[in-house]
């Protein structure tokens, strides 16, 4: 059993709606187990610099419904190096922090695992990223909100696309993963969905668009993940504009970008974040470390951090086939 008196908690990497709800759950679960809690601001940057704040019950009041992260977030270059992690460990010891809960994604867990390995800090990860690309959990905190934001915006684009008989390329986030693209594309009734997990050939894209447009459609929407190898919406738009066959097609691109990262978390994200925050602290108190707490088939499950950042969560290829039937 690990002797933990003071818990440190931080959010790191790209923020995700629901991180605050998770933080609230971590803080309140820790306090109700008689632990003291320190909030580490700005992720690993703040950990290295000693940017720490005492957390009490009231410090997390009324944040369950807010996007962003009250602890702020950062991507730290220094923490990627051994010296940076040694400085962080020194600051943590100075602040009498015995264990950590890390809320973030792939890069956050890679860092947390290294800190555990090199400096023996017990650490539990809670999956917070809109990308939903983490192995060991059916959904990540923030994904449901981002997905709904993407769908709402695709619906809006559909109205104007219909009004003008236009072709729209809608780019959604996902540098390495197509979960948002695939599911927002299906939910938004997109005619074509392009994701990083599959090979996208420009000739196929052109052929499909021409056949859709010649079928007298009111509009065509192509949802493309930013990480698709053809260069996202901008890359595809350029290739289409360079082709004389597309000179008569009225074409626009919309990049949803960081609108998908903000906003009030959905009910699903608030509940998921709350459950995982509680489970993270309970796992630490039960003596677990170097693991991520996830939700699999409705049950909380622990997965070693090295398996989370070392593996890719696969998309559902049956879902991809659906678009061909439905469009
Ligand atoms: O990892 C979440 C994410 O939103 C990705 O989908 C996106 O590629 C990336 O972060 C953008 O990061 P930044 O805000 O640092 O540009």
């Amino acid at each position: 059993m690990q002797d933990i008196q003071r818990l440190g908690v931080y959010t790191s990497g790209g923020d995700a709606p629901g991180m605050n709800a998770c933080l609230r759950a971590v803080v309140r679960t820790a306090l109700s187990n008689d632990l003291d809690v320190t909030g580490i601001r700005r992720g690993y940057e703040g950990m290295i610099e000693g940017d720490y704040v005492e957390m009490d019950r009231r410090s997390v009041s009324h944040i369950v419904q807010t996007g962003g992260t009250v602890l702020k977030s950062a991507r730290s270059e220094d923490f990627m190096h051994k010296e940076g992690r040694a400085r962080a460990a020194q600051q943590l010891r100075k602040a009498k922090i015995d264990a950590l809960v890390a809320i973030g994604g792939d890069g956050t867990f890679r860092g947390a695992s290294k800190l555990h390995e090199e400096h023996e800090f017990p650490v539990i990860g809670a999956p917070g990223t809109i990308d939903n690309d983490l192995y060991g959990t059916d959904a990540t905190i923030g994904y449901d909100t981002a997905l709904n934001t993407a769908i709402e915006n695709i619906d809006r684009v559909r109205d104007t696309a219909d009004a003008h008989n236009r072709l729209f390329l809608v780019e959604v986030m996902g540098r390495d993963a197509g979960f948002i693209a695939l599911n927002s594309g299906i939910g938004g009734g997109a005619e074509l969905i392009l994701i990083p997990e599959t090979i996208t050939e420009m000739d196929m894209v052109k052929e499909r668009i021409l056949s859709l447009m010649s079928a007298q459609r009111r509009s065509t929407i192509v949802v493309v993940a930013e990480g698709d190898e053809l260069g996202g919406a901008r890359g595809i738009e350029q290739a289409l504009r360079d082709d004389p066959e597309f000179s008569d097609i009225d074409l626009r691109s919309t990049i949803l970008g960081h609108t998908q990262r903000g906003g009030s978390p959905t009910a699903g994200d608030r509940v998921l974040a709350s459950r995982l925050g509680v489970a993270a602290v309970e796992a630490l108190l039960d003596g677990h470390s170097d693991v991520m707490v996830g939700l699999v088939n409705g049950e909380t499950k622990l997965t070693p951090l090295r398996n989370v950042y070392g593996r890719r969560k696969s998309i559902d290829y049956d879902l991809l086939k659906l678009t061909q039937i439905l469009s």
Side-chain angles (χ1 to χ4, degrees):
M1 190 76 161
Q2 338 187 69
D3 182 23
I4 303 171
Q5 279 164 23
R6 178 171 288 276
L7 178 70
V9 57
Y10 58 101
T11 52
S12 170
D15 61 302
M19 277 185 163
N20 281 333
C22 186
L23 171 68
R24 171 178 173 268
V26 167
V27 170
R28 292 197 168 165
T29 310
L31 292 174
S32 62
N33 281 282
D34 296 325
L35 302 183
D36 294 319
V37 188
T38 298
I40 298 162
R41 303 177 81 244
R42 297 183 292 114
Y44 292 119
E45 283 290 309
M47 191 183 284
I48 293 172
E49 289 168 21
D51 189 359
Y52 300 163
V53 58
E54 186 73 23
M55 307 294 286
D56 59 16
R57 281 190 74 81
R58 302 264 316 262
S59 67
V60 289
S61 289
H62 306 155
I63 63 168
V64 71
Q65 76 277 27
T66 59
T69 155
V70 292
L71 284 181
K72 300 196 177 287
S73 192
R75 300 191 196 272
S76 171
E77 180 61 36
D78 286 350
F79 199 82
M80 290 182 188
H81 307 290
K82 228 176 170 161
E83 306 77 58
R85 293 192 291 274
R87 271 160 55 212
Q90 218 174 15
Q91 293 281 14
L92 291 170
R93 293 220 165 84
K94 200 167 125 198
K96 301 202 177 323
I97 294 170
D98 310 303
L100 294 164
V101 172
I103 308 170
D106 201 74
T108 305
F109 297 157
R110 203 175 281 270
S113 199
K114 285 253 176 250
L115 192 68
H116 169 81
E117 185 187 309
E118 292 164 3
H119 301 283
E120 292 170 7
F121 277 97
V123 61
I124 303 276
T129 164
I130 64 163
D131 290 346
N132 194 35
D133 56 349
L134 297 179
Y135 179 81
T137 189
D138 290 343
T140 55
I141 298 163
Y143 169 61
D144 187 55
T145 309
L147 182 56
N148 279 288
T149 302
I151 287 181
E152 187 186 321
N153 281 295
I154 292 167
D155 290 349
R156 286 166 194 258
V157 167
R158 178 69 78 183
D159 290 344
T160 177
D162 268 352
H164 291 269
N165 275 1
R166 275 179 173 157
L167 162 66
F168 264 87
L169 305 169
V170 180
E171 183 182 299
V172 298
M173 271 190 165
R175 203 168 16 208
D176 306 305
F179 290 93
I180 297 178
L182 181 54
N183 289 280
S184 68
I186 290 171
E191 280 72 21
L192 189 58
I193 301 170
L194 307 176
I195 55 174
E197 288 88 343
T198 58
I199 295 164
T200 309
E201 279 162 9
M202 200 58 217
D203 287 346
M204 177 283 286
V205 174
K206 286 180 179 173
E207 200 181 300
R208 183 96 181 104
I209 291 175
L210 285 176
S211 102
L212 286 163
M213 298 302 279
S214 66
Q216 298 286 315
R217 288 188 170 256
R218 282 186 299 172
S219 61
T220 295
I221 291 185
V222 178
V223 170
V224 48
E226 63 172 323
D228 186 75
E229 68 267 35
L230 293 179
R234 289 269 180 261
I236 296 170
E237 177 177 344
Q238 196 53 55
L240 296 180
R241 291 202 186 280
D242 289 345
D243 187 333
E245 271 204 275
F246 284 80
S247 56
D248 289 339
I249 291 180
D250 202 0
L251 156 69
R252 296 286 187 279
S253 290
T254 298
I255 297 175
L256 301 186
H258 289 76
T259 58
Q260 297 156 94
R261 283 247 293 263
S264 180
T266 58
D269 269 331
R270 295 182 199 194
V271 174
L272 175 70
S274 301
R275 286 185 72 177
L276 295 183
V278 172
V281 177
E282 287 177 347
L284 259 182
L285 293 172
D286 283 347
H288 297 284
S289 181
D290 206 20
V291 293
M292 181 195 82
V293 58
L295 202 68
V296 178
N297 296 327
E299 304 277 334
T300 53
K301 190 184 158 208
L302 301 177
T303 303
L305 287 179
R306 66 180 172 282
N307 288 354
V308 178
Y309 60 76
R311 281 193 196 184
R312 292 196 64 153
K313 181 158 92 179
S314 174
I315 56 145
D316 183 346
Y317 285 91
D318 288 341
L319 276 185
L320 196 56
K321 282 192 211 137
L322 272 191
T323 33
Q324 282 149 21
I325 303 166
L326 297 178
S327 65

